[in-house]
């Protein structure tokens, strides 16, 4: 602790830039995009502050142009993962003793680097690696990431200020120690902000980290590491290993010093990792913390009192932004019969106006899905819907992977509320809609609650307060983020802490103090000023 009780800057959300034609930010990001897409980058492993080139490499290509190579990245072998772990354990010795304000300074600096000199680069990398439009890249790689970094510093000090009562003869203090051992971050492809935040927030709380990014997000992971390095994250505090997720994870989870998993990704993988941790439990020196934010089958339910245009807009943006590749994306909707014709017309008009193609053309609303595996899975469900008698495709349905992994925004209407695409997370630009009888609102709420194993996000649209209240109660456990008269996506750090329960995760709310609390192990220190010298009670017997 420094010699002062310091206040940190009050966290404010980073304003989202418009990228209007002729704006300086548009020129800057296009320039960065063109430079980066026309050159070749080499991404090493990052262990102990060194760039490690293993010679075993894999190429990187944008999902919207899969034959175009933008670089290669190096793959770890087991010994590199072991190095990353021993390095993290070594770095922890000094990092865990670093005064909090020094740690805060590093990550506040990282936020400002992204807000300024790295903004175009991190957005362009996200457009290339994950095929995000500039608008989606800006809200993610720039603004959400900056917000995570700024707000986490504030949450950290809020936590540190949480102290017990003391008396005149004994002073009670709680220190929030980093976890003993090293921590492990496993991150998904779809948000650069999540990829950066998972290791960063553990490091902010004094932990040393081994980070395994997604193979489909390597380019933007590299820019994150450039930022961390320039911000001054010391050697060995965040170590990055790319490659075989099973080998890397087996190596990490079999280490006795493993002390925490910060995972975001699919439900099945998270459950497998949890199981593996359970199987290793006798080997660990401490009970590992397990935080996982996972899949969703997010819903929109409209009441007959809703405004049809608002419902259609919630679907258009909630289901199709970033090709539906958000854990929060609306992927099932329940529309009352009396509203359907209008909702359908507005929705079809919206979809007709969507342009699809490369993110370099900033008039495109839809770009490619992340990789061939995802493309093939989506195409299979779409083909199945074309064949099934209880499903009808009313928009989209086309798929083309000749140049990029392009799936048309697709709307399936089903007569079976438990139809497969009403229940299964597809993670793509496909929404399934069930039309219900207007007077079956209560029964439909029950259906919404019972249809999926997930409970991540959901939205109700209605102008009737009674209907809103009924939905709020009936769907209490159906979503960790519940939206009234809005789309179920687009949570903002500091405003809508994010996460879900049931199969959607541990609901430790990314972008909140609650999440940071998982990465510390409090120690209570009681200091007694006049130490007793007689064991007897004042009155014994
Ligand atoms: N709830 C949330 O906050 C949230 C946020 C973003 C994404 N997601 C979810 O993430 C998924 C999409 O992301 P994805 O495709 O990158 O997910 P994914 O589960 O395929 O991959 C996530 C991470 O796990 C790693 N991984 C894969 N197999 C593994 C294994 N056997 N052992 C260890 N690690 C393994 C991957 O390499 C990657 O780093 C969706 O299910 C989405 O809902 C959830
Ligand atoms: N924070 C994002 C979801 C992150 C998951 O992919 C949202 O609210 O849309």
């Amino acid at each position: 602790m420094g010699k002062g009780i310091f206040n940190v800057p009050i966290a404010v959300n980073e304003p989202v830039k418009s990228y209007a034609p002729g704006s300086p930010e548009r020129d800057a990001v296009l320039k960065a995009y063109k430079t980066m897409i026309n050159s070749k980058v080499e991404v090493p492993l990052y262990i102990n502050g060194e760039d490690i080139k293993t010679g075993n490499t894999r190429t990187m290509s944008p999902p919207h142009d899969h034959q175009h190579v933008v670089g290669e990245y190096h793959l770890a072998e087991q010994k590199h993962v072991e190095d990353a772990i021993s390095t993290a354990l070594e770095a922890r010795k000094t990092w865990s003793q670093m005064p909090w304000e020094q740690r805060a300074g590093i990550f506040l600096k990282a936020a400002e680097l992204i807000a300024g000199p790295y903004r175009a680069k991190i957005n362009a990398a996200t457009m290339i690696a994950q095929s995000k439009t500039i608008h989606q890249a800006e809200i993610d790689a720039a603004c959400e990431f900056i917000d995570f970094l700024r707000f986490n510093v504030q949450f950290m000090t809020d936590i540190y200020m949480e102290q017990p009562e003391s008396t005149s003869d004994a002073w009670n203090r709680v220190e929030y120690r980093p976890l003993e051992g090293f921590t492990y971050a496993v991150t998904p492809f779809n948000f650069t902000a999540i990829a950066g935040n998972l290791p960063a927030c553990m490091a902010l709380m004094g932990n040393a980290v081994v980070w395994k990014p997604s193979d489909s997000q390597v380019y933007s992971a590299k820019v994150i590491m450039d930022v961390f390095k320039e911000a001054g994250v010391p050697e060995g505090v965040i170590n990055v290993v790319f490659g075989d997720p099973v080998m890397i994870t087996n190596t990490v989870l079999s280490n006795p010093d493993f002390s925490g998993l910060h995972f975001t990704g699919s439900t099945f993988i998270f459950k497998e990792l949890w199981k593996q941790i359970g199987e290793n439990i006798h080997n660990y020196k401490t009970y590992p913390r397990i935080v996982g934010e996972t899949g969703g089958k997010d819903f929109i339910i409209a009441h007959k009192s809703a405004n049809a245009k608002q419902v259609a807009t919630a679907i258009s943006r909630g289901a199709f932004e970033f090709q539906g590749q958000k854990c929060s994306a609306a992927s099932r909707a329940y529309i009352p019969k009396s509203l359907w014709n209008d909702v359908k017309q507005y929705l079809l008009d919206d979809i007709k106006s969507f342009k699809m193609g490369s993110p370099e053309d900033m008039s495109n609303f839809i770009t490619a899905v992340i990789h061939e595996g995802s493309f093939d899975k989506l195409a299979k469900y779409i083909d199945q819907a074309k064949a099934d008698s209880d499903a009808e495709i009313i928009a989209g349905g086309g798929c083309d992977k000749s140049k990029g992994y392009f799936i048309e925004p697709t709307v399936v209407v089903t007569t079976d509320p438990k139809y497969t695409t009403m229940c299964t997370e597809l993670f793509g630009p496909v929404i399934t809609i069930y039309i219900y009888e207007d007077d079956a609102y209560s029964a439909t709420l029950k259906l919404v609650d019972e249809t999926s194993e997930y409970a991540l996000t959901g939205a109700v649209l209605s102008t009737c307060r009674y209907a809103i209240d009924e939905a709020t109660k009936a769907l209490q456990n159906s979503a960790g983020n519940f939206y009234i008269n809005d789309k179920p996506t687009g949570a903002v750090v500091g405003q809508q802490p994010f996460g879900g329960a049931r199969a959607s995760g541990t609901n430790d709310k990314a972008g909140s103090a609650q999440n940071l609390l998982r990465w510390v192990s409090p120690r209570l220190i009681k200091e007694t000023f006049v130490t007793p010298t007689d064991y007897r009670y004042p009155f014994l017997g």
Side-chain angles (χ1 to χ4, degrees):
M1 174 74 77
K3 292 167 186 61
I5 298 176
F6 309 119
N7 292 330
V8 294
I10 294 168
V12 287
N13 291 113
E14 176 68 10
V16 178
K17 290 186 187 282
S18 79
Y19 294 85
S23 62
E25 65 267 17
R26 187 179 178 112
D27 294 345
V29 79
L30 276 175
K31 192 169 162 221
Y33 180 94
K34 284 187 180 128
T35 307
M36 290 159 76
I37 202 136
N38 290 319
S39 44
K40 301 271 180 287
V41 67
E42 187 178 5
V43 186
L45 312 179
Y46 300 87
I47 301 174
N48 203 18
E50 285 173 30
D51 293 0
I52 306 292
K53 297 183 178 171
T54 63
N56 181 12
T57 58
R58 197 176 285 162
T59 55
M60 300 186 293
S61 297
H64 46 277
D65 189 1
H66 51 60
Q67 292 308 302
H68 179 78
V69 173
V70 292
E72 59 181 19
Y73 63 103
H74 290 257
L75 304 172
E77 290 159 29
Q78 188 169 339
K79 64 175 190 303
H80 301 113
V81 185
E82 283 159 358
D83 283 352
I85 294 170
S86 52
T87 288
L89 287 169
E90 193 54 34
R92 184 192 180 280
K93 291 178 188 162
T94 41
W95 180 245
S96 63
Q97 300 304 315
M98 175 82 92
W100 68 261
E101 69 274 14
Q102 306 296 350
R103 286 184 267 124
I106 290 170
F107 289 103
L108 289 172
K109 176 168 180 169
E112 292 319 291
L113 289 171
I114 299 165
Y118 279 87
R119 193 178 201 117
K121 196 170 182 195
I122 204 163
N123 279 338
T126 302
M127 292 162 77
I128 292 169
Q130 293 120 289
S131 207
K132 288 204 170 188
T133 64
I134 180 55
H135 303 290
Q136 289 297 303
E138 168 76 2
I139 59 158
D140 162 21
C143 299
E144 186 167 328
F145 195 9
I146 294 165
D147 290 350
F148 274 133
L149 294 164
R150 288 182 185 152
F151 277 86
N152 280 343
V153 166
Q154 190 174 298
F155 296 143
M156 174 180 71
T157 56
D158 292 345
I159 288 171
Y160 288 172
M161 281 191 289
E162 196 63 42
Q163 294 293 328
E165 298 297 323
S166 294
T167 58
S168 59
D169 63 346
W171 183 11
N172 299 315
R173 311 189 283 271
V174 169
E175 67 169 347
Y176 292 89
R177 302 170 300 181
L179 303 182
E180 206 177 355
F182 71 96
T183 57
Y184 184 38
V186 180
T187 57
F189 78 83
N190 69 333
F191 269 74
T192 300
I194 295 175
N197 178 50
L198 265 54
C201 73
M202 294 196 292
L204 175 70
M205 301 310 284
N207 298 285
V209 189
V210 175
W211 171 26
K212 198 214 83 58
S214 161
D215 284 332
S216 303
Q217 186 260 324
V218 173
Y219 205 154
S220 45
K222 182 217 177 305
V223 183
I224 292 171
M225 287 310 286
D226 292 344
V227 170
F228 287 166
K229 191 170 181 182
E230 189 166 338
V233 176
E235 291 167 1
V237 170
I238 296 179
N239 304 280
V240 182
V241 281
F242 301 109
D244 176 4
V246 175
M247 179 279 289
I248 295 172
T249 300
N250 285 346
T251 310
V252 168
L253 299 188
S254 60
N255 191 295
D257 287 302
F258 163 69
S259 63
L261 169 68
H262 203 184
F263 177 89
T264 299
S266 54
T267 297
F268 178 80
I269 301 293
F270 181 55
K271 287 185 175 176
E272 288 296 303
L273 300 191
W274 189 302
K275 193 164 77 184
Q276 204 173 334
I277 293 168
E279 280 160 2
N280 284 330
I281 199 69
H282 291 291
N283 301 333
Y284 300 132
K285 293 180 182 164
T286 186
Y287 293 100
R289 298 286 168 87
I290 307 176
V291 170
E293 300 305 333
T294 67
K297 190 69 195 170
D298 311 297
F299 59 83
I300 288 176
I301 176 159
H303 181 252
K304 64 183 177 194
S305 65
N307 174 308
K309 180 82 175 116
Q310 292 173 2
V311 174
T313 305
I315 295 174
S316 296
R317 290 197 61 176
F320 299 124
E321 278 182 332
F322 188 37
Q323 297 74 260
Q325 297 173 118
K326 300 186 187 189
C327 55
S328 55
S331 60
R332 54 184 169 127
Y334 302 78
I335 311 294
K337 206 172 191 172
S338 62
L339 216 59
W340 174 233
N341 276 343
D342 287 347
V343 171
K344 180 178 173 183
Q345 202 45 59
Y346 289 128
L347 182 59
L348 294 181
D349 288 349
D350 277 352
I351 292 173
K352 218 178 291 164
S353 72
F354 291 168
K355 279 185 64 199
M356 183 162 78
S358 161
E360 187 176 354
D361 175 348
M362 294 195 174
S363 64
N364 286 327
F365 184 77
I366 303 284
T367 62
V369 299
I370 193 69
H371 49 48
E372 190 165 22
S374 173
F375 178 95
D376 289 347
K377 173 181 166 183
L378 290 158
K380 191 184 90 187
Y381 278 100
I382 289 171
D383 285 348
Q384 189 62 49
K386 285 177 183 163
D388 287 339
S389 59
D390 47 1
E392 184 197 359
I393 293 182
I394 62 160
C399 312
D400 179 358
K401 62 175 171 181
S402 52
K403 184 171 168 67
Y405 301 113
F406 290 102
I407 303 266
E408 285 177 2
T410 298
V411 180
V412 179
V413 176
T414 183
T415 50
D416 175 5
K418 299 272 175 86
Y419 182 68
T420 170
T421 60
M422 290 295 280
C423 310
T424 310
E425 185 188 50
L426 304 186
F427 219 59
V430 179
I431 186 163
T432 308
I433 296 178
Y434 174 70
I435 319 299
Y436 69 92
E437 296 294 334
D438 285 27
D439 61 4
Y441 181 63
S442 303
T444 306
L445 289 174
K446 196 160 183 291
L447 203 54
V448 173
D449 180 54
E450 290 172 354
T451 294
S452 137
E453 62 176 317
Y454 300 107
L456 189 51
T457 76
V460 61
L461 287 101
S462 171
T463 57
C464 166
R465 259 302 142 181
Y466 290 109
I468 291 170
D469 184 49
E470 186 180 350
T472 307
K473 288 174 182 149
L475 302 174
Q476 186 175 37
N477 294 308
S478 320
N481 280 48
F482 184 64
Y483 296 83
I484 298 170
N485 288 326
D486 206 341
K487 60 187 165 54
T489 61
V492 174
V493 177
Q495 297 185 35
Q496 295 95 25
F498 189 81
R502 294 187 183 160
S504 292
T506 54
N507 201 13
D508 288 291
K509 297 291 185 207
S512 77
Q514 203 174 320
N515 179 286
L516 299 190
L517 266 175
R518 301 302 310 276
W519 311 119
V520 290
S521 178
R523 175 169 75 147
L524 180 281
I525 299 171
K526 176 187 177 189
E527 179 176 349
T528 298
F529 297 129
V530 181
T531 308
T533 52
D534 184 350
Y535 84 90
R536 292 173 186 80
Y537 302 121
F539 299 101
L540 187 59

